[in-house]
Amino acid sequence: VVSNCRFERAGANALIVRVAQDPMMEYNIFYSNGIKSSGNAAFNFGTDGAVWQFNESSYTKANIGDADAGGIDSDYRSTNTTIQYNYLQDNDFGMLITGGRSSVSGFNNLTILRYNIFEHDGHKADSKGNKYFIRISGKATNTYIHNNVFYASPDQEGIQLAYHKDWDGLPINTFYYNNIYYTEATGS
């Protein structure tokens, strides 16, 4: 359990949870991380049953050429990850779900993203020119994204509400329902 901590101005990733059964990350604040190198504010890797809840992640920075700069990432070889009741705002990239390079589907399986608020996330383009709220990369399988609120302000021109990135394959069985997308951005 990682609870009631503040992670601020980490050079890259602020919190990495690896090779764990049922880890719980809750009531944490992630502020202005990834300031020197590619990194998400927080992510789980090789876990089963990870739960992220009641966290706030904001102002994660994307440096030139960075691949990661999101608020939270359900990363490689993770199963049964739940990300709920979090507030993510002003992260340079949006929320990430990483399936990764693999000839086998299920490299990241059963991520549930629900009851979160995303405000002004994804306002900086990645190295390919994409701006997004959610990026799902590679063969992530059985992803459920529901009952979230996404807000884009007028200065977020061209933001993608969801970006499925081909990384030796595309996500399989991704479900979006009951989300609210409120965008004042043109070209979204």
Side-chain angles (χ1 to χ4, degrees):
V1 175
V2 180
S3 182
N4 292 299
C5 298
R6 183 177 179 94
F7 300 86
E8 185 171 351
R9 298 188 50 77
N13 304 291
L15 175 62
I16 303 171
V17 178
R18 292 185 68 140
V19 193
Q21 177 74 43
D22 300 326
M24 171 78 69
M25 289 65 61
E26 62 182 358
Y27 300 104
N28 299 295
I29 295 175
F30 300 93
Y31 182 80
S32 191
N33 293 294
I35 60 174
K36 294 184 179 183
S37 181
S38 183
N40 298 302
F43 70 89
N44 55 290
F45 184 115
T47 61
D48 186 11
V51 176
W52 298 89
Q53 62 183 12
F54 307 112
N55 299 291
E56 179 179 338
S57 181
S58 59
Y59 299 101
T60 306
K61 298 299 172 197
N63 303 285
I64 294 171
D66 281 359
D68 295 327
I72 298 175
D73 179 11
S74 174
D75 212 322
Y76 295 141
R77 300 191 191 278
S78 294
T79 58
N80 303 307
T81 301
T82 301
I83 301 166
Q84 61 186 5
Y85 305 111
N86 300 287
Y87 177 52
L88 293 92
Q89 65 145 353
D90 288 290
N91 296 292
D92 281 353
F93 295 174
M95 165 75 203
L96 307 176
I97 299 169
T98 307
R101 288 188 161 147
S102 175
S103 60
V104 180
S105 62
F107 203 65
N108 181 320
N109 189 40
L110 290 170
T111 297
I112 298 170
L113 181 66
R114 64 185 180 194
Y115 314 127
N116 301 285
I117 297 173
F118 296 84
E119 181 181 358
H120 202 248
D121 266 355
H123 54 85
K124 192 166 184 180
D126 65 13
S127 61
K128 305 280 187 193
N130 296 296
K131 297 185 283 184
Y132 46 81
F133 275 122
I134 295 175
R135 181 185 82 200
I136 306 176
S137 301
K139 293 184 178 179
T141 54
N142 305 309
T143 303
Y144 296 85
I145 300 165
H146 66 90
N147 297 90
N148 300 285
V149 176
F150 300 89
Y151 169 73
S153 62
D155 65 327
Q156 292 184 268
E157 181 180 341
I159 188 168
Q160 297 177 64
L161 303 178
Y163 171 38
H164 289 207
K165 179 181 177 182
D166 187 346
W167 193 17
D168 291 344
L170 288 167
I172 301 164
N173 294 331
T174 305
F175 304 93
Y176 295 87
Y177 56 92
N178 293 337
N179 296 293
I180 296 171
Y181 299 93
Y182 182 73
T183 177
E184 296 181 292
T186 58
S188 61

